Amino acid sequence: MSTVKLTVNGKAVSVDVEDRTLLVHLLRENLNLTGTHVGCDTSQCGACVVHVDGRAVKSCTMLAGQAAGSNVTTIEGLAKGDELHPMQAAFRDNHGLQCGYCTPGMIMSAVDIVHRHGGKLDEETVRHELEGNICRCTGYHNIVKAVLDAAGRMKVAQAAE
Amino acid sequence: MGVEGIGARVVRKEDRRFITGQGRYVDDVKMVGMSYAHFIRSPHAHAKVKGINSAEAMKMPGVIAVLTGQQIVDDKVGNLICGWAITSKDGSPMKMGAWPAMAPETVRFVGQAVAVVIAETKNQAKDAAEAVVVDYEELPAAADIKTAIKPGAPQLHPEAPGNIVYDWHLGDEAAVKDAFSKAANVVTLELTNNRLVPNAMEPRAAVAHYDQAEEHYTLYTTSQNPHVARLVLSAFYNIAPEHKLRVIAPDVGGGFGSKIYIYPEEMVALWASKKVGRPVKWTGDRSEAFLTDAHGRDHVSKAEMAFDKDNKILGLRVKTHANFGAYMSLFSSAVPTYLYATLLSGQYVIPAIYAEVIGVYTNTTPVDAYRGAGRPEASYLIERMMETAARQLKVDPAELRKKNFITAFPYQTPVIMAYDIGDFHASIDAAMKAIDYAGFPARKAKAKADGKLRGIGVSCYIEACGIAPSKAVGSLGAGVGLWESAEIRVNPVGTIEVLTGSHSHGQGHETTFCQIIAERLGVPISQVSIVHGDTDKVQFGMGTYGSRSLAVGGTAIVKAMEKVEAKAKKIAAHALEASESDIVIENGEFKVTGTDKSIALPMVALAAYTAHNLPDGMEPGLKETAFYDPTNFTFPAGAYICELEVDPGTGKTSFVNFVAADDFGRLINPMIVEGQVHGGLAQGIGQALLEGAVYDNTGQLVTASFMDYTMPRADDLPSFQLSHTTTLCPGNPLGVKGCGEAGAIGASAAVINAITDAIGNNKLEMPATPDRVWHAIHG
Amino acid sequence: MYETNYHRASSIDDAVAQFAKGTDSKFLSGGQTLLPVMKQRLAAPSDVIDVAKIKDMIGIDVSGDTVTIKAATTHYDVAQSDAVQKAIPALANLASMIGDPAVRHRGTIGGSLANNDPAADYPAAVLALGAVVKTNKRSIAAEDFFKGLFSTALEDGEIITQVSFPVPAKAGYAKFPNPASRFALTGVFVAKTKSGDVRVVATGASQSGVMRVAPIEQALKANWAASALDAVTIPASGLLADIHGSADYRANLVKVMGQRAVTAAG
């Protein structure tokens, strides 16, 4: 057992966990942040993607201890109060989700993609960059649309700031 | 159409919780005192269980109990059932092998549970499971159809000699023989419909709680049909009587058929929760999903089609072997029979059809309905046959189809189904125009100059949805009726709750069903809630599968609405001192036609509940229930055309274009419909190019994780070009047909037809992996 | 996963010391291979020593004709590095093809090499470019480092600290991913050194891990052009075969990916 201290969605937390605890389990079981999901056991599906120190990572492939001292953002921390993040809004407006299970990881990956590519995104790039996120419902068509839409919205939002 | 009524592209009401991480799935449920289950599963495809020693495991930290198959049998928990009785050609009933929830004596597939550890934490349960010693005596396994039906093959069940579940047939054998005797040309085709793993992204899970004081069980589970789960758990598995069992299917992360069935893990969780006196949670991991979720498809078929000298079809003969795995899952028996052979007429006039289906046990995971369920297998067979025939007869594949289309409706096929309406020419014409079919030869030539092999493939599918008329399916062996229910509660303040027996696990019912209410009453959808997935809240219902929710469940809502409106009109007429026949409903108001007198819905509702001034003899309240039983199946149909390129150096396929022209009848929310088509296409394309469950000859699943089973990813798929042609379904008041499975049914043949066109070689099985395509090109 | 003891090392010396204390320790860098293996209970280290935050283990240095990448540098940082893109674009390109974006954010070059998965990408570059793997104890030439599937010259407790790549005259990498796992079904790295030597390495193809491809090297030595490989035949014997690719298919891919790598190298 170890005490792991980290910041999650802007809040400092300290949790006692077994050393084998994965970050995703710390989030789900200890912090009740159940928006981050587990869809596989081979680090393929991306349902568990969160941001650690600003980068998208698979929280099922990171020990809680590795995240000690880090800043973690989960799907629950993306909106500003009632105001949705542009990526969240774009997923809704473009019907980029159906069952919703892959959606949190998909959105967290998508935000990361836009951060890294800025406005230079096209369909092919988005499809390639979503390689680590599996969706069984949407056929990705509307997810790709949503990410491209959000990239535009985030650019506008950034320009306004 | 109002802004939120029928036909509007309303964004989904349910989305907000999903995009903010507030969805509530089964694994998110926590209970005070909750314990965790981990199953001990057979590593062998076929073995005797000689003994289970849990002494060491019981000493390990946190272990509460180790429970075995013998204990569940001793407690008289029932064996798993198959709910549709199929009768063989010779009149004998299908042969059911006994399937206990945990195996006390014999395991018949890798992953079958023999025992379960209940512990304080999930990790402790897993740690202890390794200390349980199971003594197996390995038996030879039959891992595929070919092996299982050989003389002298290992036998799975004493009840099923030769590993045969049934030998069933449909159609007129003599008429087909006669048709072939007159044929100018006969086209033959042998093909495999590859086994698939459904892989809903949320793994199955169960949280079970036994309340000792009330002698009452609660089960949270990943189900597409919680009422059916409760019924089966009560009536057949002896877990608890129905009134002492509440089944809740909260947010469910995809189903595609695999969450219809009541699995051993749910039974064990409920049973164990009483045994250990603690709530028990089981959450499957992906590896368990691969081994234990019911798989789909897995047919081997031989087909022959007879044509006259004008290329009109005379007859079709099909012989199919269907792999059921080690046990007969809940709806499995109906899939390769009444959901498959009944669709073998496709979109064509085929005067004579004869189909034989032999169901086979193998030492593999049980197989049951997966998105499309029998209809993709039928459509793939017919549409590869039409393409093969066109090439053999040296005519254009689209033209051969058009020449043989059914054009007059209703049309009685020789295989039970009576198509009510359709316009197959409209669909194929729309698809051909969208893809510029006429311009393809020039594009193929240009691609050739660039070193690429370009192909085009057509697939014209039809499916039977809106499952199903209860009397009809009852006469064919179904153990349940397939109606649906709805209850509409207009609350005293005028808000509305719709309780439906359908279950949404991605389909968007919370939006679509609201739109039906908005259309009729003119109220905003924010005033309407859809309640589903909880047997304590919702009246009995049959759940969601077979593209039935709108055609059957939606119609039940309409029927309940009609009753609500009739009563509300009486109340409004009374209040407005008008004749009931003069009352019309507009924008949430009840108006006296031709006057400016009106009363708003909330006032009508309030009047119904205050009951101070109701018409004489009227009961208070405004709440109505309807049970709707459809009169026929519905018949969505359409045409898909795929254009793609093959890289001859690697065998890799790349999409150029994929067009879909579907006829689903009336669309309630076109945005949601398009999403359903996209997802279906992805699964159909996945089957064609990427997915296939592979067993080795000892019965080990080789493709047991996403490392080996190729799930479609974003960069495997194109953007799709969709369109709709519409013939309204005459069988229900909404005119809807269903859209959930179409893509999965029609897409795979289009893809394979395009690849075989590109490479000029018809010897190609699914999945058409780069390796297989490269070998098909280069030998 | 079995229970383990997690330690975060503050320096290379600390990492080595911590390692020695455990009964069956393992170094943990990005964890993108080790953790999945531990999750499957196929590895059960008593202690995991996290080296990913050791400052001396992170960073990229290009000086003269050598690109040096410290061991805990992530794939993402290598792929994004202007210096690597300029000096050995094929290496940055290779790093951008490993796994997926989230994996590249965590996975590191040292972890990849120490694991030596037969379908990993980095070993192809290390061997083709004739890189030198530096550890806390010694420097190991690429040809001495890889010892077959999941096996390397590393001794127990020895830790990779950095990898130095000589800048080649030309280099290219072409990868045909396994459709399911996205590891290399076959990847080929071609390099022409400044002295004119040609080295061609295939990953994902051979039963004995990353391998030099002599027939292609000879053809390219004679004529550095994709067309020079038209007449080359790669024998299928000794190549991997699985549901995604038979041995003869992989043999074909070695050639075709070799051609595409040469085209990419220019």
Side-chain angles (χ1 to χ4, degrees), chain B residues 551-588:
Chain B
V552 188
T555 300
I557 291 171
V558 170
K559 297 289 180 187
M561 274 304 297
E562 285 169 359
K563 294 183 190 177
V564 165
E565 286 166 11
K567 184 171 182 182
K569 278 184 180 176
K570 282 196 175 78
I571 296 169
H574 184 74
L576 297 168
E577 296 176 334
S579 163
E580 191 189 323
S581 59
D582 288 338
I583 302 291
V584 292
I585 306 171
E586 276 174 24
N587 300 323

Short mmCIF file of all heavy atoms in Angstrom, two decimals, chain B residues 551-588:
data_model
loop_
_atom_site.label_atom_id
_atom_site.label_comp_id
_atom_site.label_asym_id
_atom_site.label_seq_id
_atom_site.Cartn_x
_atom_site.Cartn_y
_atom_site.Cartn_z
N ALA B 551 -40.88 0.09 -34.58
CA ALA B 551 -42.03 -0.50 -35.28
C ALA B 551 -43.00 -1.15 -34.30
O ALA B 551 -44.21 -1.09 -34.48
CB ALA B 551 -41.55 -1.52 -36.31
N VAL B 552 -42.47 -1.76 -33.24
CA VAL B 552 -43.35 -2.44 -32.28
C VAL B 552 -43.51 -1.58 -31.02
O VAL B 552 -44.63 -1.23 -30.64
CB VAL B 552 -42.81 -3.85 -31.94
CG1 VAL B 552 -43.83 -4.61 -31.10
CG2 VAL B 552 -42.49 -4.64 -33.21
N GLY B 553 -42.38 -1.22 -30.39
CA GLY B 553 -42.43 -0.40 -29.17
C GLY B 553 -43.00 0.98 -29.44
O GLY B 553 -43.79 1.52 -28.64
N GLY B 554 -42.60 1.60 -30.54
CA GLY B 554 -43.11 2.93 -30.91
C GLY B 554 -44.60 2.88 -31.19
O GLY B 554 -45.35 3.80 -30.82
N THR B 555 -45.04 1.81 -31.82
CA THR B 555 -46.47 1.69 -32.10
C THR B 555 -47.25 1.51 -30.81
O THR B 555 -48.35 2.05 -30.67
CB THR B 555 -46.72 0.52 -33.07
OG1 THR B 555 -45.99 0.77 -34.28
CG2 THR B 555 -48.19 0.38 -33.39
N ALA B 556 -46.69 0.77 -29.85
CA ALA B 556 -47.35 0.64 -28.55
C ALA B 556 -47.53 2.02 -27.91
O ALA B 556 -48.57 2.31 -27.31
CB ALA B 556 -46.54 -0.28 -27.63
N ILE B 557 -46.53 2.88 -28.07
CA ILE B 557 -46.64 4.24 -27.54
C ILE B 557 -47.77 4.99 -28.24
O ILE B 557 -48.58 5.67 -27.61
CB ILE B 557 -45.28 4.99 -27.70
CG1 ILE B 557 -44.25 4.37 -26.75
CG2 ILE B 557 -45.45 6.49 -27.44
CD1 ILE B 557 -42.82 4.87 -26.97
N VAL B 558 -47.84 4.84 -29.56
CA VAL B 558 -48.93 5.49 -30.31
C VAL B 558 -50.28 5.00 -29.82
O VAL B 558 -51.22 5.78 -29.61
CB VAL B 558 -48.76 5.23 -31.83
CG1 VAL B 558 -50.01 5.69 -32.59
CG2 VAL B 558 -47.52 5.94 -32.35
N LYS B 559 -50.39 3.69 -29.62
CA LYS B 559 -51.67 3.11 -29.17
C LYS B 559 -52.06 3.64 -27.79
O LYS B 559 -53.23 3.92 -27.52
CB LYS B 559 -51.58 1.58 -29.14
CG LYS B 559 -51.33 0.93 -30.49
CD LYS B 559 -52.54 1.03 -31.38
CE LYS B 559 -52.28 0.36 -32.73
NZ LYS B 559 -53.41 0.60 -33.67
N ALA B 560 -51.07 3.75 -26.90
CA ALA B 560 -51.35 4.29 -25.57
C ALA B 560 -51.72 5.76 -25.68
O ALA B 560 -52.62 6.25 -24.97
CB ALA B 560 -50.15 4.10 -24.65
N MET B 561 -51.04 6.48 -26.57
CA MET B 561 -51.35 7.90 -26.78
C MET B 561 -52.78 8.09 -27.25
O MET B 561 -53.46 9.03 -26.85
CB MET B 561 -50.39 8.50 -27.83
CG MET B 561 -49.08 9.01 -27.30
SD MET B 561 -49.28 10.23 -26.01
CE MET B 561 -50.12 11.52 -26.93
N GLU B 562 -53.21 7.21 -28.13
CA GLU B 562 -54.58 7.33 -28.65
C GLU B 562 -55.59 7.26 -27.50
O GLU B 562 -56.57 7.99 -27.46
CB GLU B 562 -54.86 6.23 -29.68
CG GLU B 562 -54.18 6.50 -31.02
CD GLU B 562 -54.22 5.29 -31.96
OE1 GLU B 562 -54.76 4.23 -31.58
OE2 GLU B 562 -53.68 5.43 -33.09
N LYS B 563 -55.30 6.37 -26.55
CA LYS B 563 -56.20 6.25 -25.40
C LYS B 563 -56.15 7.50 -24.52
O LYS B 563 -57.18 7.98 -24.04
CB LYS B 563 -55.83 5.02 -24.57
CG LYS B 563 -56.02 3.68 -25.27
CD LYS B 563 -55.69 2.55 -24.29
CE LYS B 563 -55.61 1.20 -24.98
NZ LYS B 563 -55.22 0.14 -24.03
N VAL B 564 -54.92 8.01 -24.32
CA VAL B 564 -54.76 9.22 -23.50
C VAL B 564 -55.50 10.38 -24.16
O VAL B 564 -56.24 11.14 -23.50
CB VAL B 564 -53.26 9.56 -23.33
CG1 VAL B 564 -53.08 10.98 -22.81
CG2 VAL B 564 -52.59 8.56 -22.40
N GLU B 565 -55.31 10.51 -25.45
CA GLU B 565 -55.93 11.62 -26.16
C GLU B 565 -57.46 11.52 -26.12
O GLU B 565 -58.16 12.54 -25.97
CB GLU B 565 -55.47 11.65 -27.61
CG GLU B 565 -54.03 12.14 -27.76
CD GLU B 565 -53.45 11.86 -29.15
OE1 GLU B 565 -54.22 11.48 -30.06
OE2 GLU B 565 -52.23 12.00 -29.30
N ALA B 566 -57.94 10.31 -26.25
CA ALA B 566 -59.40 10.13 -26.24
C ALA B 566 -59.99 10.60 -24.91
O ALA B 566 -61.00 11.31 -24.87
CB ALA B 566 -59.75 8.68 -26.51
N LYS B 567 -59.32 10.22 -23.83
CA LYS B 567 -59.84 10.62 -22.51
C LYS B 567 -59.66 12.12 -22.31
O LYS B 567 -60.56 12.81 -21.80
CB LYS B 567 -59.12 9.85 -21.40
CG LYS B 567 -59.67 10.14 -20.02
CD LYS B 567 -59.11 9.21 -18.94
CE LYS B 567 -59.74 9.51 -17.60
NZ LYS B 567 -59.20 8.65 -16.52
N ALA B 568 -58.50 12.64 -22.72
CA ALA B 568 -58.22 14.07 -22.54
C ALA B 568 -59.22 14.90 -23.34
O ALA B 568 -59.65 15.97 -22.89
CB ALA B 568 -56.79 14.37 -22.99
N LYS B 569 -59.58 14.41 -24.50
CA LYS B 569 -60.57 15.16 -25.29
C LYS B 569 -61.92 15.22 -24.58
O LYS B 569 -62.61 16.24 -24.61
CB LYS B 569 -60.73 14.50 -26.67
CG LYS B 569 -59.66 14.89 -27.67
CD LYS B 569 -59.95 14.27 -29.03
CE LYS B 569 -58.88 14.65 -30.03
NZ LYS B 569 -59.10 13.97 -31.32
N LYS B 570 -62.27 14.11 -23.96
CA LYS B 570 -63.54 14.10 -23.20
C LYS B 570 -63.50 15.13 -22.08
O LYS B 570 -64.46 15.87 -21.86
CB LYS B 570 -63.75 12.70 -22.60
CG LYS B 570 -64.25 11.64 -23.56
CD LYS B 570 -64.80 10.44 -22.77
CE LYS B 570 -65.42 9.40 -23.69
NZ LYS B 570 -64.45 8.55 -24.37
N ILE B 571 -62.35 15.17 -21.38
CA ILE B 571 -62.22 16.12 -20.26
C ILE B 571 -62.27 17.54 -20.80
O ILE B 571 -62.94 18.42 -20.25
CB ILE B 571 -60.91 15.86 -19.48
CG1 ILE B 571 -60.96 14.47 -18.84
CG2 ILE B 571 -60.67 16.94 -18.44
CD1 ILE B 571 -59.61 14.00 -18.28
N ALA B 572 -61.55 17.78 -21.90
CA ALA B 572 -61.50 19.13 -22.49
C ALA B 572 -62.89 19.54 -22.96
O ALA B 572 -63.34 20.68 -22.72
CB ALA B 572 -60.51 19.16 -23.65
N ALA B 573 -63.59 18.62 -23.61
CA ALA B 573 -64.93 18.95 -24.11
C ALA B 573 -65.85 19.32 -22.95
O ALA B 573 -66.61 20.29 -23.02
CB ALA B 573 -65.48 17.76 -24.90
N HIS B 574 -65.71 18.56 -21.88
CA HIS B 574 -66.54 18.83 -20.71
C HIS B 574 -66.23 20.21 -20.13
O HIS B 574 -67.13 21.01 -19.84
CB HIS B 574 -66.29 17.73 -19.66
CG HIS B 574 -67.14 17.83 -18.44
ND1 HIS B 574 -68.48 17.51 -18.44
CD2 HIS B 574 -66.85 18.22 -17.18
CE1 HIS B 574 -68.98 17.69 -17.23
NE2 HIS B 574 -67.99 18.13 -16.45
N ALA B 575 -64.95 20.51 -20.03
CA ALA B 575 -64.54 21.79 -19.45
C ALA B 575 -64.94 22.96 -20.35
O ALA B 575 -65.28 24.04 -19.87
CB ALA B 575 -63.02 21.79 -19.22
N LEU B 576 -64.87 22.75 -21.64
CA LEU B 576 -65.16 23.84 -22.59
C LEU B 576 -66.62 23.84 -23.03
O LEU B 576 -67.01 24.65 -23.87
CB LEU B 576 -64.25 23.70 -23.83
CG LEU B 576 -62.74 23.81 -23.56
CD1 LEU B 576 -61.94 23.37 -24.78
CD2 LEU B 576 -62.38 25.23 -23.16
N GLU B 577 -67.38 22.93 -22.46
CA GLU B 577 -68.79 22.81 -22.79
C GLU B 577 -68.99 22.68 -24.29
O GLU B 577 -69.77 23.39 -24.92
CB GLU B 577 -69.59 23.99 -22.22
CG GLU B 577 -69.54 23.99 -20.70
CD GLU B 577 -70.24 25.19 -20.08
OE1 GLU B 577 -70.32 26.23 -20.75
OE2 GLU B 577 -70.69 25.07 -18.94
N ALA B 578 -68.20 21.82 -24.88
CA ALA B 578 -68.27 21.59 -26.32
C ALA B 578 -68.49 20.11 -26.59
O ALA B 578 -68.42 19.28 -25.68
CB ALA B 578 -66.97 22.06 -26.99
N SER B 579 -68.68 19.79 -27.84
CA SER B 579 -68.83 18.39 -28.21
C SER B 579 -67.45 17.77 -28.36
O SER B 579 -66.54 18.39 -28.91
CB SER B 579 -69.61 18.29 -29.52
OG SER B 579 -69.40 17.01 -30.08
N GLU B 580 -67.33 16.56 -27.87
CA GLU B 580 -66.03 15.87 -27.92
C GLU B 580 -65.50 15.79 -29.36
O GLU B 580 -64.30 15.92 -29.60
CB GLU B 580 -66.24 14.46 -27.36
CG GLU B 580 -65.00 13.69 -27.10
CD GLU B 580 -65.36 12.24 -26.77
OE1 GLU B 580 -66.38 11.98 -26.10
OE2 GLU B 580 -64.59 11.37 -27.20
N SER B 581 -66.40 15.65 -30.31
CA SER B 581 -65.96 15.50 -31.70
C SER B 581 -65.43 16.82 -32.28
O SER B 581 -64.81 16.82 -33.33
CB SER B 581 -67.12 14.98 -32.56
OG SER B 581 -68.21 15.88 -32.48
N ASP B 582 -65.67 17.92 -31.58
CA ASP B 582 -65.17 19.22 -32.06
C ASP B 582 -63.79 19.56 -31.50
O ASP B 582 -63.22 20.60 -31.81
CB ASP B 582 -66.15 20.34 -31.68
CG ASP B 582 -67.43 20.28 -32.51
OD1 ASP B 582 -67.38 19.68 -33.62
OD2 ASP B 582 -68.46 20.80 -32.05
N ILE B 583 -63.27 18.70 -30.63
CA ILE B 583 -61.99 19.01 -29.98
C ILE B 583 -60.82 18.57 -30.88
O ILE B 583 -60.78 17.44 -31.36
CB ILE B 583 -61.85 18.30 -28.62
CG1 ILE B 583 -63.00 18.70 -27.68
CG2 ILE B 583 -60.49 18.58 -27.98
CD1 ILE B 583 -62.97 20.12 -27.18
N VAL B 584 -59.90 19.50 -31.12
CA VAL B 584 -58.66 19.16 -31.84
C VAL B 584 -57.47 19.52 -30.97
O VAL B 584 -57.57 20.41 -30.11
CB VAL B 584 -58.55 19.90 -33.20
CG1 VAL B 584 -59.62 19.41 -34.17
CG2 VAL B 584 -58.62 21.41 -33.00
N ILE B 585 -56.33 18.80 -31.18
CA ILE B 585 -55.13 19.06 -30.38
C ILE B 585 -54.13 19.82 -31.23
O ILE B 585 -53.74 19.35 -32.30
CB ILE B 585 -54.50 17.75 -29.87
CG1 ILE B 585 -55.55 16.91 -29.14
CG2 ILE B 585 -53.30 18.02 -28.99
CD1 ILE B 585 -55.09 15.50 -28.78
N GLU B 586 -53.75 20.99 -30.78
CA GLU B 586 -52.77 21.79 -31.53
C GLU B 586 -51.81 22.44 -30.54
O GLU B 586 -52.25 23.11 -29.60
CB GLU B 586 -53.47 22.91 -32.33
CG GLU B 586 -54.00 22.45 -33.67
CD GLU B 586 -54.81 23.57 -34.35
OE1 GLU B 586 -54.58 24.75 -34.03
OE2 GLU B 586 -55.66 23.23 -35.18
N ASN B 587 -50.52 22.29 -30.78
CA ASN B 587 -49.49 22.96 -29.98
C ASN B 587 -49.73 22.86 -28.48
O ASN B 587 -49.62 23.84 -27.74
CB ASN B 587 -49.38 24.43 -30.38
CG ASN B 587 -49.01 24.57 -31.84
OD1 ASN B 587 -48.23 23.77 -32.37
ND2 ASN B 587 -49.60 25.54 -32.51
N GLY B 588 -50.07 21.67 -28.03
CA GLY B 588 -50.24 21.48 -26.60
C GLY B 588 -51.55 22.01 -26.06
O GLY B 588 -51.73 22.10 -24.85
#
